[in-house]
Amino acid sequence: MGKIKRIGVLTSGGDSAGMNAAIRAVVRTATVKKIEVVGFIRGYEGLINADYRRMDSRSVSGIVNLGGTVLKTARSKRFAAKEGRRQAYATLKNLSIDGLVVIGGDGSFRGAEKFGREYNFPVIGIPGTIDNDIAGTDFTLGSDTAVNVALDAVDKIRDTATSMERIFVIEVMGRNSGYIALQVALAGGCEEVLIPERNFNINKVCESITEGNIRGKISWIVIVAEGRGKAADIADRIHKITGLETRVTVLGHIQRGGRPTYADRVLGAKFGSFAVELLLKGQTLKTTGIKSQKLVSIDFNYAIKNKKLLEADSYLKLIKILT
Ligand code: ADP
């Protein structure tokens, strides 16, 4: 493999806070090493459509504190098909690009792995997903910010829950993952948390609410990950069984936005810089990760095929003890 002179960078799939910090670190690390950078717009769609812009140090000024991604992101049906990937390869060849950094979640990594293997093209991933569900890394970009945004909302709802003596059911993001729900429930002092990874018994939930009521508890917050059910349905069932008044809040997309926390910015800086180093060392089909505070590289295949350990049971136990 020849020397790397020019690399591409893109963000793909769901956006997450810290992606901009990672883009900035990719561009500036490469620039210091005299490597040119091309940014592709809207993920793999930008590769297929040759929609790109040259990036230099100045083009990433003032973005480290912004949520979302300045390169925009998208889901690309075309890239999942062979013909789309052929067009993507043609774009990279036309632009004389010799390595690619893909910032995204496990779907994006599946695409990157397939593409890199098919065309023997160097690809390094950076994990960006609010659900922190990539195996092999302790953290992904955006989960810390998402948890903090949701927690801020829960804290505010707690104020009114305490004043009005009501049960609040709050739905947080997580179609397949209870990560955000568990963190928020423990950090927010919530009484109950329902996650996709565990079944729940509504009668048991209501029993503990009734018991709590007898012990003198005046407010109750139930966190529901969206993949476990609709907050409105759960609130209805609680009301029917206990007769207590319930209120529902669905936090929705605010959890993706907002200023990235320091933790996500620092992670973005480290991952971005490390991704460029990995490409320069001739590494490919790997994602950056962090394990016990050390940067590591993880094979795409490992990251894609393994499920990340959630430690749900220890969270659920602690939440019960602290209620
Ligand atoms: P995320 O990266 O956030 O998990 P998606 O699952 O939507 O987001 O994946 C982003 C994009 O990655 C998809 O739109 C598609 O272009 C590509 N992709 C996902 N899975 C595959 C696959 N098995 N083969 C090829 N490309 C894929």
Side-chain angles (χ1 to χ4, degrees), residues 96-122:
S96 306
I97 291 172
D98 358 74
L100 183 66
V101 177
V102 171
I103 308 173
D106 69 330
S108 302
F109 289 176
R110 273 172 224 278
E113 199 275 334
K114 213 174 253 179
F115 176 78
R117 206 164 19 83
E118 239 165 31
Y119 290 98
N120 193 22
F121 196 88

mmCIF file of all heavy atoms in Angstrom, residues 96-122:
data_model
loop_
_atom_site.group_PDB
_atom_site.id
_atom_site.type_symbol
_atom_site.label_atom_id
_atom_site.label_comp_id
_atom_site.label_asym_id
_atom_site.label_seq_id
_atom_site.Cartn_x
_atom_site.Cartn_y
_atom_site.Cartn_z
ATOM 1 N N SER A 96 -8.404 10.776 -5.790
ATOM 2 C CA SER A 96 -7.096 10.289 -5.294
ATOM 3 C C SER A 96 -7.045 10.198 -3.772
ATOM 4 O O SER A 96 -6.056 10.601 -3.149
ATOM 5 C CB SER A 96 -5.962 11.195 -5.771
ATOM 6 O OG SER A 96 -5.998 11.344 -7.157
ATOM 7 N N ILE A 97 -8.126 9.710 -3.196
ATOM 8 C CA ILE A 97 -8.171 9.550 -1.742
ATOM 9 C C ILE A 97 -7.671 8.153 -1.378
ATOM 10 O O ILE A 97 -8.055 7.164 -2.002
ATOM 11 C CB ILE A 97 -9.607 9.791 -1.226
ATOM 12 C CG1 ILE A 97 -9.937 11.278 -1.392
ATOM 13 C CG2 ILE A 97 -9.767 9.366 0.231
ATOM 14 C CD1 ILE A 97 -11.364 11.646 -1.111
ATOM 15 N N ASP A 98 -6.780 8.078 -0.384
ATOM 16 C CA ASP A 98 -6.220 6.760 -0.052
ATOM 17 C C ASP A 98 -6.610 6.236 1.327
ATOM 18 O O ASP A 98 -6.063 5.256 1.796
ATOM 19 C CB ASP A 98 -4.689 6.720 -0.154
ATOM 20 C CG ASP A 98 -4.054 8.000 -0.609
ATOM 21 O OD1 ASP A 98 -3.985 8.983 0.170
ATOM 22 O OD2 ASP A 98 -3.626 8.035 -1.753
ATOM 23 N N GLY A 99 -7.552 6.870 1.983
ATOM 24 C CA GLY A 99 -8.003 6.339 3.273
ATOM 25 C C GLY A 99 -9.264 7.078 3.687
ATOM 26 O O GLY A 99 -9.496 8.218 3.273
ATOM 27 N N LEU A 100 -10.115 6.420 4.492
ATOM 28 C CA LEU A 100 -11.400 7.012 4.851
ATOM 29 C C LEU A 100 -11.663 6.856 6.347
ATOM 30 O O LEU A 100 -11.406 5.798 6.913
ATOM 31 C CB LEU A 100 -12.509 6.298 4.047
ATOM 32 C CG LEU A 100 -13.938 6.799 4.215
ATOM 33 C CD1 LEU A 100 -14.098 8.211 3.661
ATOM 34 C CD2 LEU A 100 -14.919 5.840 3.498
ATOM 35 N N VAL A 101 -12.165 7.946 6.954
ATOM 36 C CA VAL A 101 -12.598 7.883 8.356
ATOM 37 C C VAL A 101 -14.130 7.982 8.380
ATOM 38 O O VAL A 101 -14.693 8.939 7.851
ATOM 39 C CB VAL A 101 -11.984 9.030 9.198
ATOM 40 C CG1 VAL A 101 -12.525 8.982 10.627
ATOM 41 C CG2 VAL A 101 -10.458 8.944 9.198
ATOM 42 N N VAL A 102 -14.780 6.979 8.965
ATOM 43 C CA VAL A 102 -16.246 6.945 9.054
ATOM 44 C C VAL A 102 -16.654 7.131 10.514
ATOM 45 O O VAL A 102 -16.307 6.322 11.374
ATOM 46 C CB VAL A 102 -16.796 5.596 8.534
ATOM 47 C CG1 VAL A 102 -18.292 5.472 8.834
ATOM 48 C CG2 VAL A 102 -16.544 5.463 7.041
ATOM 49 N N ILE A 103 -17.400 8.211 10.772
ATOM 50 C CA ILE A 103 -17.878 8.471 12.134
ATOM 51 C C ILE A 103 -19.353 8.080 12.178
ATOM 52 O O ILE A 103 -20.165 8.658 11.459
ATOM 53 C CB ILE A 103 -17.714 9.970 12.492
ATOM 54 C CG1 ILE A 103 -16.270 10.417 12.212
ATOM 55 C CG2 ILE A 103 -18.098 10.225 13.956
ATOM 56 C CD1 ILE A 103 -16.028 11.914 12.368
ATOM 57 N N GLY A 104 -19.706 7.076 12.979
ATOM 58 C CA GLY A 104 -21.099 6.630 13.012
ATOM 59 C C GLY A 104 -21.305 5.469 13.958
ATOM 60 O O GLY A 104 -20.419 5.128 14.746
ATOM 61 N N GLY A 105 -22.472 4.845 13.853
ATOM 62 C CA GLY A 105 -22.817 3.735 14.733
ATOM 63 C C GLY A 105 -22.568 2.382 14.079
ATOM 64 O O GLY A 105 -21.869 2.305 13.059
ATOM 65 N N ASP A 106 -23.149 1.350 14.622
ATOM 66 C CA ASP A 106 -22.823 -0.001 14.135
ATOM 67 C C ASP A 106 -23.309 -0.229 12.708
ATOM 68 O O ASP A 106 -22.652 -0.946 11.950
ATOM 69 C CB ASP A 106 -23.311 -1.084 15.108
ATOM 70 C CG ASP A 106 -24.823 -1.181 15.152
ATOM 71 O OD1 ASP A 106 -25.483 -0.151 14.928
ATOM 72 O OD2 ASP A 106 -25.333 -2.284 15.419
ATOM 73 N N GLY A 107 -24.424 0.399 12.307
ATOM 74 C CA GLY A 107 -24.869 0.296 10.915
ATOM 75 C C GLY A 107 -23.808 0.849 9.979
ATOM 76 O O GLY A 107 -23.430 0.210 8.990
ATOM 77 N N SER A 108 -23.302 2.017 10.305
ATOM 78 C CA SER A 108 -22.264 2.642 9.483
ATOM 79 C C SER A 108 -21.011 1.770 9.426
ATOM 80 O O SER A 108 -20.343 1.692 8.390
ATOM 81 C CB SER A 108 -21.898 4.014 10.045
ATOM 82 O OG SER A 108 -23.048 4.827 10.094
ATOM 83 N N PHE A 109 -20.709 1.113 10.537
ATOM 84 C CA PHE A 109 -19.532 0.236 10.565
ATOM 85 C C PHE A 109 -19.742 -1.015 9.713
ATOM 86 O O PHE A 109 -18.802 -1.505 9.087
ATOM 87 C CB PHE A 109 -19.187 -0.182 12.008
ATOM 88 C CG PHE A 109 -18.621 0.938 12.841
ATOM 89 C CD1 PHE A 109 -18.341 0.730 14.194
ATOM 90 C CD2 PHE A 109 -18.357 2.180 12.298
ATOM 91 C CE1 PHE A 109 -17.822 1.756 14.973
ATOM 92 C CE2 PHE A 109 -17.847 3.214 13.073
ATOM 93 C CZ PHE A 109 -17.580 3.003 14.417
ATOM 94 N N ARG A 110 -20.975 -1.512 9.694
ATOM 95 C CA ARG A 110 -21.266 -2.660 8.829
ATOM 96 C C ARG A 110 -20.989 -2.288 7.377
ATOM 97 O O ARG A 110 -20.378 -3.049 6.626
ATOM 98 C CB ARG A 110 -22.736 -3.080 8.944
ATOM 99 C CG ARG A 110 -22.998 -4.047 10.054
ATOM 100 C CD ARG A 110 -24.509 -4.274 10.226
ATOM 101 N NE ARG A 110 -24.811 -4.242 11.639
ATOM 102 C CZ ARG A 110 -24.645 -5.270 12.463
ATOM 103 N NH1 ARG A 110 -24.215 -6.414 11.985
ATOM 104 N NH2 ARG A 110 -24.883 -5.156 13.733
ATOM 105 N N GLY A 111 -21.463 -1.105 6.982
ATOM 106 C CA GLY A 111 -21.237 -0.615 5.625
ATOM 107 C C GLY A 111 -19.755 -0.423 5.363
ATOM 108 O O GLY A 111 -19.233 -0.836 4.316
ATOM 109 N N ALA A 112 -19.058 0.179 6.308
ATOM 110 C CA ALA A 112 -17.628 0.477 6.154
ATOM 111 C C ALA A 112 -16.824 -0.819 6.028
ATOM 112 O O ALA A 112 -15.900 -0.922 5.220
ATOM 113 C CB ALA A 112 -17.130 1.292 7.344
ATOM 114 N N GLU A 113 -17.200 -1.811 6.816
ATOM 115 C CA GLU A 113 -16.486 -3.093 6.805
ATOM 116 C C GLU A 113 -16.646 -3.767 5.441
ATOM 117 O O GLU A 113 -15.685 -4.219 4.835
ATOM 118 C CB GLU A 113 -17.050 -3.977 7.923
ATOM 119 C CG GLU A 113 -16.149 -5.132 8.338
ATOM 120 C CD GLU A 113 -16.319 -6.357 7.467
ATOM 121 O OE1 GLU A 113 -17.404 -6.521 6.885
ATOM 122 O OE2 GLU A 113 -15.357 -7.138 7.345
ATOM 123 N N LYS A 114 -17.888 -3.770 4.964
ATOM 124 C CA LYS A 114 -18.186 -4.405 3.674
ATOM 125 C C LYS A 114 -17.398 -3.702 2.563
ATOM 126 O O LYS A 114 -16.741 -4.340 1.752
ATOM 127 C CB LYS A 114 -19.693 -4.271 3.404
ATOM 128 C CG LYS A 114 -20.279 -5.427 2.639
ATOM 129 C CD LYS A 114 -21.786 -5.285 2.546
ATOM 130 C CE LYS A 114 -22.510 -6.275 3.439
ATOM 131 N NZ LYS A 114 -23.973 -6.111 3.363
ATOM 132 N N PHE A 115 -17.471 -2.375 2.585
ATOM 133 C CA PHE A 115 -16.819 -1.576 1.547
ATOM 134 C C PHE A 115 -15.297 -1.760 1.576
ATOM 135 O O PHE A 115 -14.650 -1.980 0.545
ATOM 136 C CB PHE A 115 -17.178 -0.098 1.754
ATOM 137 C CG PHE A 115 -16.487 0.823 0.800
ATOM 138 C CD1 PHE A 115 -16.941 0.957 -0.504
ATOM 139 C CD2 PHE A 115 -15.374 1.545 1.202
ATOM 140 C CE1 PHE A 115 -16.292 1.798 -1.394
ATOM 141 C CE2 PHE A 115 -14.712 2.386 0.324
ATOM 142 C CZ PHE A 115 -15.175 2.513 -0.981
ATOM 143 N N GLY A 116 -14.730 -1.657 2.764
ATOM 144 C CA GLY A 116 -13.274 -1.760 2.900
ATOM 145 C C GLY A 116 -12.753 -3.108 2.439
ATOM 146 O O GLY A 116 -11.680 -3.200 1.832
ATOM 147 N N ARG A 117 -13.514 -4.144 2.738
ATOM 148 C CA ARG A 117 -13.108 -5.492 2.354
ATOM 149 C C ARG A 117 -13.277 -5.692 0.846
ATOM 150 O O ARG A 117 -12.380 -6.186 0.173
ATOM 151 C CB ARG A 117 -13.952 -6.507 3.129
ATOM 152 C CG ARG A 117 -13.288 -7.843 3.334
ATOM 153 C CD ARG A 117 -13.949 -8.707 4.411
ATOM 154 N NE ARG A 117 -15.301 -8.345 4.768
ATOM 155 C CZ ARG A 117 -16.396 -8.722 4.104
ATOM 156 N NH1 ARG A 117 -16.290 -9.474 3.020
ATOM 157 N NH2 ARG A 117 -17.586 -8.364 4.527
ATOM 158 N N GLU A 118 -14.409 -5.219 0.320
ATOM 159 C CA GLU A 118 -14.697 -5.391 -1.108
ATOM 160 C C GLU A 118 -13.629 -4.742 -1.986
ATOM 161 O O GLU A 118 -13.216 -5.309 -2.990
ATOM 162 C CB GLU A 118 -16.034 -4.695 -1.410
ATOM 163 C CG GLU A 118 -17.103 -5.571 -1.963
ATOM 164 C CD GLU A 118 -18.469 -4.874 -1.872
ATOM 165 O OE1 GLU A 118 -18.569 -3.620 -1.946
ATOM 166 O OE2 GLU A 118 -19.435 -5.598 -1.691
ATOM 167 N N TYR A 119 -13.206 -3.545 -1.600
ATOM 168 C CA TYR A 119 -12.296 -2.784 -2.463
ATOM 169 C C TYR A 119 -10.889 -2.683 -1.901
ATOM 170 O O TYR A 119 -10.077 -1.936 -2.414
ATOM 171 C CB TYR A 119 -12.872 -1.380 -2.724
ATOM 172 C CG TYR A 119 -14.088 -1.451 -3.607
ATOM 173 C CD1 TYR A 119 -15.360 -1.429 -3.064
ATOM 174 C CD2 TYR A 119 -13.941 -1.590 -4.987
ATOM 175 C CE1 TYR A 119 -16.472 -1.535 -3.874
ATOM 176 C CE2 TYR A 119 -15.051 -1.689 -5.800
ATOM 177 C CZ TYR A 119 -16.318 -1.659 -5.242
ATOM 178 O OH TYR A 119 -17.416 -1.775 -6.054
ATOM 179 N N ASN A 120 -10.625 -3.439 -0.852
ATOM 180 C CA ASN A 120 -9.317 -3.377 -0.202
ATOM 181 C C ASN A 120 -8.921 -1.915 0.054
ATOM 182 O O ASN A 120 -7.807 -1.487 -0.245
ATOM 183 C CB ASN A 120 -8.286 -4.090 -1.096
ATOM 184 C CG ASN A 120 -6.990 -4.337 -0.351
ATOM 185 O OD1 ASN A 120 -6.979 -4.360 0.887
ATOM 186 N ND2 ASN A 120 -5.900 -4.463 -1.075
ATOM 187 N N PHE A 121 -9.893 -1.163 0.574
ATOM 188 C CA PHE A 121 -9.697 0.270 0.799
ATOM 189 C C PHE A 121 -9.569 0.537 2.307
ATOM 190 O O PHE A 121 -10.387 0.067 3.097
ATOM 191 C CB PHE A 121 -10.899 1.048 0.231
ATOM 192 C CG PHE A 121 -10.613 2.500 0.074
ATOM 193 C CD1 PHE A 121 -10.046 2.981 -1.098
ATOM 194 C CD2 PHE A 121 -10.875 3.388 1.121
ATOM 195 C CE1 PHE A 121 -9.761 4.331 -1.242
ATOM 196 C CE2 PHE A 121 -10.587 4.737 0.982
ATOM 197 C CZ PHE A 121 -10.025 5.211 -0.194
ATOM 198 N N PRO A 122 -8.513 1.267 2.719
ATOM 199 C CA PRO A 122 -8.317 1.515 4.158
ATOM 200 C C PRO A 122 -9.442 2.348 4.774
ATOM 201 O O PRO A 122 -9.710 3.460 4.322
ATOM 202 C CB PRO A 122 -7.003 2.299 4.213
ATOM 203 C CG PRO A 122 -6.337 2.043 2.897
ATOM 204 C CD PRO A 122 -7.437 1.848 1.901
#
